[in-house]
Amino acid sequence: DPLDLWTSDPFEPEIRNNRIFARGASDDKGQLFTHLKAIEAHFKSKGKLPINVKLLIEGEEEAESHLEDFIRANPEKLKADLTLISDTEWFAEGYPSICYALRGICFMEVFVTGPNRDLHSGTFGGAVDNPIQVLAWMVSQLKDKYGRISIPGFYDNVKVLSADERANFKKLPFDDAHYMKDLDVDAVDGEIGYSTLERTWIRPSLDLNGIKGGYIGEGAKTVLPSKASAKISMRLVPNQDYNEIADKFEAYIKSIAPPTVKVEIKKLHGGNPVVVPYDSEYIKVAVESLKSAFGKDVVFMREGGSIPIVGIFDTVLGAPSILMGHGLPSDNIHSPNENFDIDNFYSGIKASAIFLEELSKI
């Protein structure tokens, strides 16, 4: 959504300007398909694969995934030395990238209930508390004026980034002015004392994702609503646990809720942050595979988003993940006109094929 902003049918792939446009073209059908084609190439050229490969494909990540339950129930069937995932993007066009860290996520929903029915704001306004206004006030208390999250104990386990990693960030071709121009905003925002990359990669964040309540149709309706709700996501960094953060969030919201309303909190889903040592032998193979396939030096990056299943692969299967993505920041994932660069698609096939071959030499 919104479907009317698509220039072509989202479920009828169309190639133009050397890109394939379709829902999921980059996130993640196109990237997944590079590995299928790489496997096919090995069978066609050599009649076999150089190593044993297991394919695990699921399409529920954006809905209500059951993959974690399946992995926990089938550890022997899925036993592996490592997992290769292409569900990330490059830092910038022309910069093949290995992502070595992901933020986790804690997604909550808050429900505020006031009177037992919607009321007339003239008859009852000023005497009965308004759930939307209460909810808005509580949300405003989640951050302070310095951009720090106000939940007690939220930062207790946050790991400080090493000087070497902060120095590596500065080597990447990032420019705040270009970033703001691309987003059509006049200024960046966030926790005081950190750069934009640090705010999105190595610091936790909290965002209001949606709020509902009252009358939102055309024209006026003087309603004092009975209910209001909000969806709130928190991105987590290494050493934070999403279950602990969920408990702290719930305790804080309930502690500041006034006695004039009832508050219910629901944990929608979560996943812990992940860090893969970028000096591992598997990472080195991935770097050489990308460099050989794309003919460019490879950079290391973190990712502000979350792939909750990565942590499950590590903790349940003992299989660290290599995040060797081929997407670009301009792919419009989760948006109208999502697309995938054709050159990255074909070179991604090469990178995957080389990766399988080189792993057999370890």
Side-chain angles (χ1 to χ4, degrees), residues 73-239:
N74 296 277
E76 286 302 313
K77 178 181 290 189
L78 300 173
K79 186 177 179 180
D81 297 300
L82 76 151
T83 56
L84 177 62
I85 300 174
S86 292
D87 190 22
T88 52
E89 62 185 30
W90 290 4
F91 182 76
E93 187 170 354
Y95 288 83
S97 307
I98 293 289
C99 179
Y100 67 93
L102 298 162
R103 289 197 294 185
I105 187 170
C106 179
F107 205 146
M108 310 292 287
E109 189 164 12
V110 179
F111 301 87
V112 179
T113 302
N116 59 8
R117 61 189 185 279
D118 286 354
L119 304 175
H120 189 284
S121 66
T123 304
F124 294 93
V128 178
D129 216 345
N130 185 315
I132 297 179
Q133 291 171 201
V134 171
L135 179 59
W137 176 81
M138 290 196 298
V139 168
S140 74
Q141 303 304 301
L142 290 171
K143 288 183 182 180
D144 65 20
K145 64 180 181 179
Y146 303 108
R148 284 179 61 86
I149 296 164
S150 304
I151 299 169
F154 188 89
Y155 293 94
D156 283 354
N157 299 318
V158 173
K159 186 178 179 180
V160 177
L161 192 70
S162 69
D164 286 343
E165 282 192 271
R166 293 191 84 165
N168 283 334
F169 286 5
K170 294 179 181 179
K171 296 176 183 177
L172 295 170
F174 181 82
D175 177 64
D176 268 339
H178 176 77
Y179 183 80
M180 291 185 291
K181 182 178 180 182
D182 178 60
L183 299 175
D184 195 20
V185 296
D186 296 327
V188 293
D189 186 44
E191 188 179 358
I192 298 296
Y194 295 90
S195 69
T196 299
L197 285 184
E198 290 168 347
R199 289 167 178 166
T200 55
W201 285 1
I202 58 108
R203 298 298 294 173
S205 63
L206 183 150
D207 285 286
L208 179 64
N209 303 120
I211 191 164
K212 180 172 66 174
Y215 179 70
I216 57 172
E218 293 293 329
K221 182 180 180 183
T222 54
V223 61
L224 193 161
S226 170
K227 300 177 184 292
S229 64
K231 296 179 188 291
I232 298 168
S233 65
M234 291 160 282
R235 298 291 174 167
L236 312 179
V237 296
N239 289 10

Side-chain angles (χ1 to χ4, degrees), residues 60-76:
E60 293 184 315
E61 185 195 15
E62 308 298 348
E64 186 179 356
S65 177
H66 297 81
L67 185 55
E68 179 178 342
D69 295 336
F70 179 79
I71 292 172
R72 292 188 183 279
N74 296 277
E76 286 302 313

